[in-house]
Amino acid sequence: MSVHVLLFDAGSENEGIHSLELNGTTVVLLFEDRDDAERYAGLLEAQDFPAPTVEALDRAEMEEFCSNAGYEARFVPAGFLPQTAEERLLIAPPERNMDVTTWREQEEPAAARPEPEPISSGNAELEDYRRRLEGLL
C-alpha cells in the first residue's frame, strides 16, 4: 500500500520530509489520500512555507524509515475527522511553523546561528500551552 508524504527539495541533496513535533516526538504524516496530502501542502504554502512536493511511497518502507530515524509514522486515513487539538494538526498545519532554513544549512555551526528570544506572558498555564504548541513545530 502506498502513502503520500510531503518532501522539500525532492530529489536534491537537501531533500527533507515534512514532520511535526508532537509531545517531544517527531511525527511524519503518512496520508492515505493524495488529495489530503496536497491540501495540507497548500495550507503550508499559504503560510509562506516552502512548497512541498507530494510523493507516493510504500507505507511499509516509510514506517521502517521513520522507525530507523527515531520518528513516529502517523497514518492519516482518507476522510479522517480529528477529535482533539493534536489530531487537528494531522489535517491542518499549526499557525506557526519552524524556520526550515536550518535543515538546509547543516554545514553552518549552531554557534553561528542567533538564538531566538523567548517570549513570556507571565502566565504559567499559558506558558505551558505555548511550549506544547511550539513542540508541535
Side-chain angles (χ1 to χ4, degrees), residues 13-14 101-113:
E13 64 184 50
N14 289 326
T101 57
T102 56
W103 65 269
R104 291 184 182 162
E105 299 168 354
Q106 293 174 358
E107 303 82 36
E108 181 181 336
R113 283 184 240 130

Side-chain angles (χ1 to χ4, degrees), residues 50-66:
T53 303
V54 175
E55 296 285 336
L57 300 168
D58 182 71
R59 181 176 178 176
E61 288 178 15
M62 281 306 305
E63 288 173 344
E64 182 179 345
F65 162 79
C66 289

Side-chain angles (χ1 to χ4, degrees), residues 35-135:
D35 289 339
D36 289 342
E38 289 176 352
R39 183 183 51 74
Y40 197 100
L43 291 171
L44 284 172
E45 193 173 1
Q47 295 177 345
D48 293 328
F49 212 78
T53 303
V54 175
E55 296 285 336
L57 300 168
D58 182 71
R59 181 176 178 176
E61 288 178 15
M62 281 306 305
E63 288 173 344
E64 182 179 345
F65 162 79
C66 289
S67 177
N68 291 339
Y71 303 151
E72 177 186 333
R74 184 83 59 100
F75 182 69
V76 182
F80 175 75
L81 295 174
Q83 302 298 312
T84 65
E86 182 178 297
E87 287 181 350
R88 273 186 229 114
L89 295 173
L90 304 182
I91 62 166
E95 289 183 24
R96 275 188 65 217
N97 292 292
M98 288 181 68
D99 182 8
V100 295
T101 57
T102 56
W103 65 269
R104 291 184 182 162
E105 299 168 354
Q106 293 174 358
E107 303 82 36
E108 181 181 336
R113 283 184 240 130
E115 279 295 315
E117 292 184 30
I119 300 170
S120 177
S121 69
N123 180 324
E125 184 178 334
L126 187 57
E127 286 300 304
D128 179 56
Y129 185 70
R130 180 187 59 81
R131 277 192 294 282
R132 286 187 286 144
L133 286 174
E134 286 177 348

